Amino acid sequence: MNHLLEKEPDEKDTKLETDLSFWTTQNKMKSFIVSLFSLFLFLVPVPYQNQWTIGIGIIAEALQTVFENYLPPFMTLILVLSLIGSVITNLVYGISTDGLYALNL
């Protein structure tokens, strides 16, 4: 039974595992800088208006202030589009008894 689960590696799989040419010094530095920026943005607390918050919280608050009047209609539109998409998907594909979608044309 185990031999059915194991597959022989083909040339493409072997090449992907051994091809490290993508990781040049420049690409490593790009990755490091983005990771460092994300670390500060999402994890490092900063003082802001007499309280501690994270960088993304400051950005979210600023965007909320700028788009305050547009948020309720925008979120309503997203909700309605999600509803329409769900109904269309259910009508086109249907739901099988095991919970997976099965083509129902």
Side-chain angles (χ1 to χ4, degrees), residues 4-46:
L4 295 175
L5 299 176
E6 297 174 6
K7 74 170 196 158
E8 292 293 323
D10 58 4
E11 186 177 320
K12 184 178 178 184
D13 289 339
T14 306
K15 184 178 180 186
L16 287 174
E17 290 175 5
T18 59
D19 185 20
L20 299 176
S21 62
F22 173 78
W23 289 108
T24 63
T25 303
Q26 184 179 8
N27 284 341
K28 287 179 185 177
M29 287 305 296
K30 285 180 186 177
S31 178
F32 178 73
I33 291 169
V34 169
S35 297
L36 194 61
F37 177 73
S38 299
L39 178 75
F40 283 112
L41 193 62
F42 289 99
L43 294 177
V44 176
V46 292

